[in-house]
Amino acid sequence: MKRIGILTSGGDAPGMNAAIRAVTRKAIHEGLEVYGINYGYAGLVAGDIFKMDEATVGDIIQRGGTFLYSARYPEFAQEEGQLKGIEQLNKFGIEALVVIGGDGSYHGALRLTEHGYNAIGLPGTIDNDIPYTDFTIGFDTSVNTVLESIDRIRDTATSHERTFVIEVMGRGAGDIALWSGVAGGAEAIIIPEKEFDMKQVANKIRAGRNRGKKHTLIVLAEGVMHADEFAEELGKFGDFHTRVTVLGHVQRGGSPTARDRVMASQMGSYAVELLMQGKGGLAIGIENNKVVSHDILDLFDAKHHSEISLYDLNNDISY
Ligand code: ADP
């Protein structure tokens, strides 16, 4: 194998650039050539492909987003789309590739591997909703971004004796809410993985107020319901001077944390090692602080498990 490609696909996440850098530098270090593919599978099919060198990935480790851009390209789920992509791989002499993205991107990587072009997936998403990895690239940065907002909101919540419902991202997973909620000392964390009782939430707020508590912070995962809806439902159990904050896309941007950069670097380097061993159809993860790989096929049958112990912990220490 002489030449590999790299692309980012699906939603962007801070740390993707650090992963691109690691893959590129490690591959060049090992004597390979590296081609960047812009705009994910859309760019692959369009032939938006360019040769990268050590300097191409200079000065990007600290940047959020992905300098290779990302795009949704549902056509790649069809064989016709995949064959067009393969035509481009042949044209540029790319024999294997690294794909940074989520579940959908992994499907594309597996299809390419089945066609004889080894592809390895790196988990890039702020949502942390990928199985067989304790953390995804971008999650830690996102949690810290949310935490900064929670701390700020706490100031104003205290000054005005308000209740804040803070809606955070995560799609179907409650991970961002769990980690930022515990770190931010939220009185309640509402996640899709756990049923909740609005009356109990209201009673908790009331009990806190009766003890002289000035503020209440509720961190709500977007996978449960919209914050407006939640506030309206809560209002049926009393007037808690509730305000709503939907953090939105600020959670996706920004300079990656040290943890995301280091993890992305470890994963990117490992992906190149595996490609050099002639392996493909694998997804990289981090489990118990060790970089690991699993068959992408196994991931599709598996479910991501959120760290639910954090939910119980929060109930014990934040009220
Ligand atoms: P994510 O990778 O974050 O889950 P998407 O689900 O949007 O994001 O998938 C990213 C891209 O991966 C899609 O735009 C498409 O190009 C490709 N993709 C998604 N599903 C498949 C599939 N079943 N087969 C091949 N490629 C797919």
Side-chain angles (χ1 to χ4, degrees), residues 162-182:
R162 279 184 178 145
T163 295
F164 269 86
V165 180
I166 305 162
E167 182 185 312
V168 302
M169 284 182 167
R171 292 205 294 187
D175 297 53
I176 294 179
L178 279 172
W179 287 77
S180 64
V182 169

Side-chain angles (χ1 to χ4, degrees), residues 9-11 41 71-74 76-77 82 101-105 107-108 111 171:
S9 165
Y41 294 115
R72 314 258 180 210
Y73 186 68
F76 206 73
Q82 294 153 21
D103 189 71
S105 308
H107 273 93
R111 295 287 96 81
R171 292 205 294 187

